[in-house]
Amino acid sequence: MSTATLETPAVAATPRLDWPFLIAAVLATAVLVTLVVLDGRPASAALIVLGFALGVAFLKAEFSFTAAWRRFLVCGEAGGLLAALLLIAVAATVIVPVAALVPGFGGAIAPIGPSLVIGAFVFGIGMQFANGCGSGTLYTAGGGSGRMLIALALFIVGSVIGSLHLPAFLALGGIDPILASTYFGPWGGLAATLASIALAALMIAGVARARGASFRPRPTLIVGAVAIGLISIGVFLAGHHPWSVTFGFTVWGAKIAALLGFDFSHAEFWQWAGPKRALGESILSDTSSLTDLGMIFGAMAAAAAAKPFARGAWPPARSLIAAAIGGLLMGWGARIGFGCNIGAFVGGVASGSLHGWVWFAAALGGCAIGVRLRPAFGLSRD
Amino acid sequence: MRILYALALIAGLAALITDHLTSPSSARAVSPEDFAGACAPCGAPCPSTQKK
């Protein structure tokens, strides 16, 4: 036996493709698509497939609202935040005019008041504890992070609790939604929306420069932002409303709670027409659930296609506790604050609705608190 | 962790299929914003139409 042979470590052949999980993710998607196609709903099938594409795009681009906001707050780095604004601008070019001009389509709107501000602020804290927002939780949980699987479970619990509290927060008051297209028409509304995004981008880049930090997004982030923006246009055209994430979680949680004997017949939220119908009907009749499920399976397929799936070790207990608390806060905050980074921020701003910017400001404030508290759970501040 | 994922996938998919086959479905997928009076993605009413 030669010396060379003795010194060469025996490297076990590690497969790049994780076939069982790749096949499982594709098969699960195919099953869901088949179920809705058999019901004669091609648009629902499109939402599942578009959700799948979103899962792949988020995972491949490592598109993270949470990390981007944290880097901006901690060191002024603005590349991730500007990439998110690019995503919103791409989506707005179709959403604002179509929502205003085409019957049956509508933008993401929400009342502006204490409920929006409190919910978004709490959501922002939760984002930093969990290390992921609504979309981030979906694609990282789907991508093989056991920690984010815990965050997702508690996100669902928190959103059901939030649904029970929302009517009381709405009673605190507020004003009706303010849409740019209502004041300036479809094309003027689009111009005003793009101008507001450009102004925000200039302000954010200005802060980054003043702090001596970079404001240029990585090339993969730019590609990811454009791809996700285009896919979210597809979601809008198939679902008739901008992409949203967290209402699906609320429906899933309420269905499980009802199965366990919880009675929602006296809960005001669940007597409103939309939630009542969603609770009574198949989960596959809810637009946000369709894209959520597609996104989980898309992220799973993309992760399993790149390396062995879910092979990582569990993080320390304190990190898991942070994920659980973060998920709970995000779920509650998303329901009280009318959505997450996707439904409220991306969807709201891309619809030309003022509530999107209010949500962003309040959630960024919550993130600032969350970032300061992260070390208590053994998480880094940057 | 892989076993947890496998179990969650099987249980989740079984629950979804069961729910779909035992619940009514709309002619097309809907969101709460599709309903009259909805003022938010969750279907909440507008402040101006809330009962005083």
Side-chain angles (χ1 to χ4, degrees):
Chain A
M1 194 177 282
S2 73
T3 309
T5 310
L6 280 171
E7 286 175 351
T8 304
V11 179
T14 307
R16 278 184 63 81
L17 281 177
D18 193 326
W19 286 108
F21 278 95
L22 178 58
I23 291 170
V26 173
L27 266 182
T29 308
V31 167
L32 298 186
V33 167
T34 304
L35 286 174
V36 295
V37 167
L38 286 174
D39 276 354
R41 293 191 280 128
S44 298
L47 287 171
I48 295 169
V49 174
L50 289 164
F52 190 95
L54 283 168
V56 174
F58 265 88
L59 196 96
K60 288 294 179 190
E62 295 180 357
F63 205 93
S64 168
F65 289 94
T66 307
W69 292 25
R70 188 164 63 243
R71 286 190 196 114
F72 179 70
L73 289 167
V74 173
C75 59
E77 197 181 306
L81 209 45
L82 293 180
L85 293 180
L86 173 63
L87 185 170
I88 296 172
V90 169
T93 55
V94 171
I95 293 175
V96 174
V98 172
L101 291 169
V102 183
F105 284 84
I109 56 169
I112 300 168
S115 187
L116 175 69
V117 174
I118 294 167
F121 185 81
V122 170
F123 188 94
I125 299 172
M127 263 171 77
Q128 296 304 333
F129 284 6
N131 212 22
C133 57
S135 54
T137 300
L138 273 180
Y139 91 81
T140 50
S145 164
R147 182 182 186 277
M148 295 311 283
L149 212 50
I150 291 171
L152 176 60
L154 271 295
F155 201 135
I156 292 168
V157 173
S159 70
V160 176
I161 297 170
S163 75
L164 304 177
H165 294 166
L166 177 58
F169 279 84
L170 284 177
L172 295 174
I175 56 172
D176 284 359
I178 296 174
L179 265 177
S181 57
T182 307
Y183 294 92
F184 307 115
W187 302 109
L190 174 59
T193 300
L194 294 177
S196 73
I197 294 169
L199 181 64
L202 283 174
M203 289 167 64
I204 289 165
V207 170
R209 285 190 74 163
R211 295 179 67 179
S214 165
F215 57 85
R216 289 203 173 92
R218 286 182 283 117
T220 49
L221 269 187
I222 295 173
V223 173
V226 173
I228 294 166
L230 291 174
I231 299 167
S232 65
I233 289 173
V235 170
F236 170 71
L237 295 175
H240 293 198
H241 292 282
W243 172 32
S244 70
V245 170
T246 61
F247 182 74
F249 297 169
T250 314
V251 176
W252 304 352
K255 278 191 174 263
I256 294 169
L259 206 63
L260 296 174
F262 194 90
D263 180 15
F264 287 101
S265 61
H266 300 294
E268 187 180 338
F269 177 95
W270 295 101
Q271 301 315 307
W272 296 335
K276 186 175 186 177
R277 184 150 166 178
L279 187 58
E281 291 201 341
S282 161
I283 283 174
L284 300 183
S285 290
D286 169 52
T287 52
S288 58
S289 294
L290 294 169
T291 44
D292 287 353
L293 292 166
M295 198 169 171
I296 290 173
F297 295 134
M300 183 178 285
K307 62 180 183 181
F309 184 80
R311 288 277 194 202
W314 284 96
R318 279 200 300 172
S319 175
L320 296 179
I321 292 169
I325 296 172
L328 203 59
L329 291 176
M330 281 197 291
W332 187 87
R335 221 40 317 119
I336 302 299
F338 309 113
C340 64
N341 295 59
I342 300 302
F345 178 44
V346 173
V349 174
S351 302
S353 176
L354 183 61
H355 91 279
W357 288 118
V358 176
W359 191 96
F360 170 66
L364 196 63
C367 276
I369 304 293
V371 168
R372 287 174 191 274
L373 295 174
R374 278 169 59 94
F377 296 97
L379 304 172
S380 70
R381 281 193 60 193
D382 51 7
Chain B
M1 200 182 289
R2 285 170 70 84
I3 293 173
L4 175 70
Y5 263 93
L7 291 173
L9 188 63
I10 293 166
L13 204 55
L16 271 172
I17 294 169
T18 306
D19 173 70
H20 183 71
L21 296 178
T22 57
S23 308
S25 294
S26 299
R28 74 170 181 88
V30 291
S31 77
E33 297 154 291
D34 285 317
F35 296 88
C39 205
C42 65
C46 287
S48 60
T49 58
Q50 285 239 62
K51 289 175 193 169
K52 302 290 176 191

